[in-house]
Amino acid sequence: MATAEAALRQQDWGLALLQVKLMNQLGTDYWREQAQKLSVRISQEQDAWVQLVQARDLAAWLTANELAAAVMLALKIPPEAVVYSQAQADIRRWIPEVFAYAEERLAAGDREGALALIEKIAPALDVSYHDRPIVILGQAKALAAKGTVLGYWEAIARVQQIPITDPFYESAQAYLNRWQQQLRNQQHLQWATWLANTRLRWGYALAIAQARQVPLGQPERGQAQGLIALWQRDLGTIDERPLLHAAIALAKQKQYQAALGVLRSFPRDAVLAAVIANYRDQWQAKLEEIQDRPILDRAIRLAREGKLAEAIQTAEQIGRDRALYREALNRIWQWDYELSLRQRQQAAPTTPAWWESPPSTPEGTSEPVAEPQSASPATPTPEATTPAPTPGVSPTPTPETPVAPAPASPSPTPGATVVPTPTPVQPPPAEPEPTPTP
């Protein structure tokens, strides 16, 4: 821890973060907690150091406004920071320079400019400056700028300390009158707010009366007018709210029919008309859903059983102005499509499956269909073709016609195309005619 503290004082952030890593590596809960605290401390010290550097950069310009801004920026550094003492030393060095610029403006007759400059650094001034009238008035202006009752009280108490002989006395009296009036305005508004919080008729009436006491032209007049409009609206609804709360209580118990009946008792020009209309729409939709949900569920059940036509007829019972109409319509469209698809499938001819269909042949080609072979007629033999002799008639000798032997299958010669000779079909044997004798 000593090493980490020394690293922070020297702004050695790398060494400080290394200590955090080493603590985490020890592995115990105690050191993990110490590492977490050191990590937070490093982040705070880095922020404080950045603020101090920025303040010094502003002060380096050596102008009145930049010096005042540097004082207020350095004043934000927390006391537990390592650089807090450096920041306080810088503040003590810069404040006299700011006062020097204020004195220059005061000598030039710019009293308001001098006051504005002191007002900027008023929170940074210690008690050694509190006896100066310019400081008293500057601090009083800073307190009054808070716009609270307590702030106005403290500002008035401070400004009353300025003596009559002081050059700032006239300015102090002008501020005093203004702050006293603003204090009364704030008191009126504070009292009116307390009365309106009673939520009673007489409370609203008294609150409105109190807010109207803020004079025209005062800075608090706009706030008073806004509160008056709000309380007048609440006063108009004071008789309507109990009835509305009763309807809300019924709706929370899911008694929407009774809650809607309560809303119907409100007049059309009710102050809460917009709120009532919103609740009416919500509860009417929930009531219709409770009423129509069984119908839609029955239609869905029929569709799951395959009874699509009955499901469509059931869903069509939900009207257009009902909360579930859109959901029912989507279901009807889906079921109608499924029903039409089913009807088309039933009307289409039954075609075999692709694995049962005969193979198709390409168009323009045909394969020969093998016909059953029939027994070819037997070729008559020479004996069968020779006519039998007629009884009683001597046969007439005829020259013997040599029967040519069947030619052997010729061997194909090169370069010649062999054309097969068709075998003639022999006609049936006819009656032989007698051959004349020479």
Side-chain angles (χ1 to χ4, degrees), residues 2 21 31 41 92 126-127 134 141 149 183 188 202 230 272 276 283 308 327 333 369 378 396-397 399:
K21 182 178 180 181
W31 286 110
R41 175 82 184 281
R92 288 192 296 269
D126 54 21
V127 294
I134 188 174
K141 289 183 64 178
V149 173
L183 174 60
H188 287 312
W202 61 267
L230 177 63
L272 297 176
I276 294 169
W283 299 341
L308 296 178
E327 182 179 354
W333 288 344
V369 179
T396 304

Side-chain angles (χ1 to χ4, degrees), residues 21 72 165 168 199 210 268 287 310 314 326 328 332:
K21 182 178 180 181
M72 298 309 298
T165 58
F168 286 98
R199 304 294 181 183
Q210 283 288 327
R268 292 186 177 180
L287 179 62
E310 298 181 20
T314 303
R326 178 57 58 186
I332 291 173

Side-chain angles (χ1 to χ4, degrees), residues 87-98:
Q88 291 298 312
D90 290 341
I91 290 173
R92 288 192 296 269
R93 187 176 69 253
W94 296 331
I95 285 178
E97 298 179 11
V98 176

Side-chain angles (χ1 to χ4, degrees), residues 107-299:
D110 188 6
R111 198 172 288 180
E112 291 297 325
L115 275 176
L117 192 58
I118 298 301
E119 182 183 354
K120 291 180 180 179
I121 63 171
L125 300 177
D126 54 21
V127 294
S128 61
Y129 296 94
H130 289 182
D131 56 343
R132 301 185 185 186
I134 188 174
V135 175
I136 294 174
L137 188 55
Q139 290 178 337
K141 289 183 64 178
L143 290 169
K146 297 179 180 179
T148 61
V149 173
L150 182 59
Y152 286 124
W153 275 343
E154 293 183 356
I156 292 171
R158 287 288 184 90
V159 81
Q160 288 175 345
Q161 299 176 7
I162 299 177
I164 299 177
T165 58
D166 192 86
F168 286 98
Y169 179 76
E170 293 182 1
S171 299
Q173 291 301 309
Y175 282 115
L176 177 63
N177 296 331
R178 182 191 307 173
W179 295 337
Q180 286 176 342
Q181 180 61 51
Q182 290 177 344
L183 174 60
R184 287 191 293 268
N185 297 340
Q186 286 295 330
Q187 288 174 336
H188 287 312
L189 294 178
Q190 192 175 34
W191 177 241
T193 302
W194 183 84
L195 290 170
N197 288 337
T198 60
R199 304 294 181 183
L200 300 174
R201 187 182 298 277
W202 61 267
Y204 284 120
L206 291 177
I208 292 172
Q210 283 288 327
R212 283 175 176 167
Q213 294 184 22
V214 178
L216 293 173
Q218 293 294 317
E220 294 80 10
R221 180 65 180 183
Q223 181 183 0
Q225 290 297 108
L227 291 174
I228 289 172
L230 177 63
W231 295 334
Q232 284 178 340
R233 190 199 66 175
D234 292 345
L235 183 60
T237 63
I238 198 169
D239 295 330
E240 300 175 357
R241 287 193 177 277
L243 202 59
L244 180 60
H245 291 162
I248 294 174
L250 290 172
K252 288 181 178 179
Q253 299 175 4
K254 298 186 182 300
Q255 300 181 15
Y256 299 113
Q257 191 71 39
L260 290 171
V262 174
L263 293 185
R264 294 189 190 97
S265 62
F266 284 92
R268 292 186 177 180
D269 57 348
V271 180
L272 297 176
V275 179
I276 294 169
N278 186 24
Y279 279 121
R280 182 186 296 113
D281 294 341
Q282 294 181 16
W283 299 341
Q284 183 66 35
K286 292 181 179 179
L287 179 62
E288 292 176 358
E289 184 176 357
I290 292 175
Q291 294 174 346
D292 296 342
R293 179 59 67 183
I295 300 175
L296 188 57
D297 290 344
R298 185 166 63 253

Side-chain angles (χ1 to χ4, degrees), residues 5 51 97 100 197 200 226 230 241 258 330 366 369 398 419 431:
E5 189 69 25
Q51 288 181 355
E97 298 179 11
N197 288 337
L200 300 174
L230 177 63
R241 287 193 177 277
N330 291 335
S366 60
V369 179
T398 57
V419 179
E431 192 73 22

